[in-house]
Amino acid sequence: RRSRAAHDPARRPLVCGRSRTPAAAMNGASRTFERVAHDVCGEFVQQMAQEHAREVSGMFEDVQRLRQELRNVENMLTGYLERERVLKELLEDMMGHHQDIMQQWTQAHQNFQANAASCMNDHEVLLKQRGDPIRSAQVELQRIQDILSKPTVAAQVNPHLHQGGIRY
């Protein structure tokens, strides 16, 4: 019996690195191609894996930077919202104080008007009772002017008044 390798050219042993049949030579070339292709594919896959790792690393760093920026924005917005809350409370307090002051001022003004009206009424009553002091001063001024408008009378000495006067 012969072995299968003797009948099957693909299974014949290589002699000095060459097969004895063309099919075997093709099979050897195919194996070389597979080996080279396998090596090239391995290098390609390794290069692709490195590039992928670089890209993913770069994207990860970008994401970290963006997250840090988001933290900064979060801090700024938190501060902004706190300032806005404080300002709103301050404005509400100021408006409340303004309203209180306006109510007090209005009350003081009303009290002043009432007191002024009362004083004017009291003054009118006194004017009616005592007379108008301005009118009285004007009348008195006119009287003084009338007196001063007349010349002074020279003093006349009557002898009988200086001699002892009238005797009884």
Side-chain angles (χ1 to χ4, degrees), residues 96-167:
H97 292 310
H98 179 262
Q99 289 174 348
D100 292 345
I101 289 170
M102 289 304 295
Q103 287 175 348
Q104 291 172 3
W105 184 84
T106 301
Q107 185 62 43
H109 186 68
Q110 289 171 346
N111 291 343
F112 172 78
Q113 283 181 322
N115 288 339
S118 174
C119 287
M120 290 303 289
N121 288 337
D122 292 347
H123 183 69
E124 291 294 325
V125 169
L126 284 175
L127 285 178
K128 288 179 184 175
Q129 291 174 353
R130 295 183 186 167
D132 184 5
I134 294 175
R135 182 69 189 136
S136 296
Q138 288 173 340
V139 168
E140 193 61 30
L141 176 64
Q142 185 62 45
R143 202 173 116 243
I144 291 170
Q145 287 173 343
D146 285 345
I147 290 172
L148 292 175
S149 71
K150 295 178 185 168
T152 325
V153 178
Q156 295 178 355
V157 177
N158 289 334
H160 73 277
L161 293 177
H162 288 291
Q163 294 177 353
I166 302 179
R167 292 189 194 182

Side-chain angles (χ1 to χ4, degrees), residues 56-113:
V56 168
S57 175
M59 288 190 295
F60 179 78
E61 289 172 7
D62 289 345
V63 167
Q64 290 300 99
R65 280 192 300 273
L66 290 172
R67 289 179 64 86
Q68 183 58 44
E69 284 300 315
L70 284 175
R71 282 187 204 98
N72 293 341
V73 170
E74 175 190 33
N75 291 337
M76 288 183 348
L77 285 176
T78 300
Y80 167 78
L81 291 174
E82 180 61 23
R83 283 188 300 279
E84 286 298 314
R85 184 190 62 78
V86 168
L87 287 174
K88 181 181 178 215
E89 288 175 4
L90 180 67
L91 286 175
E92 288 173 352
D93 289 348
M94 288 174 62
M95 289 301 294
H97 292 310
H98 179 262
Q99 289 174 348
D100 292 345
I101 289 170
M102 289 304 295
Q103 287 175 348
Q104 291 172 3
W105 184 84
T106 301
Q107 185 62 43
H109 186 68
Q110 289 171 346
N111 291 343
F112 172 78
Q113 283 181 322

Side-chain angles (χ1 to χ4, degrees), residues 8 17 41 44 58 79 142 166:
D8 188 4
C41 284
F44 178 74
Q142 185 62 45
I166 302 179

Side-chain angles (χ1 to χ4, degrees), residues 4-14 19 21-25 27-28 31:
R4 283 187 176 197
H7 292 293
D8 188 4
R11 294 185 184 245
R12 287 190 190 151
L14 292 176
S19 71
T21 64
N27 197 10
R31 285 187 189 142

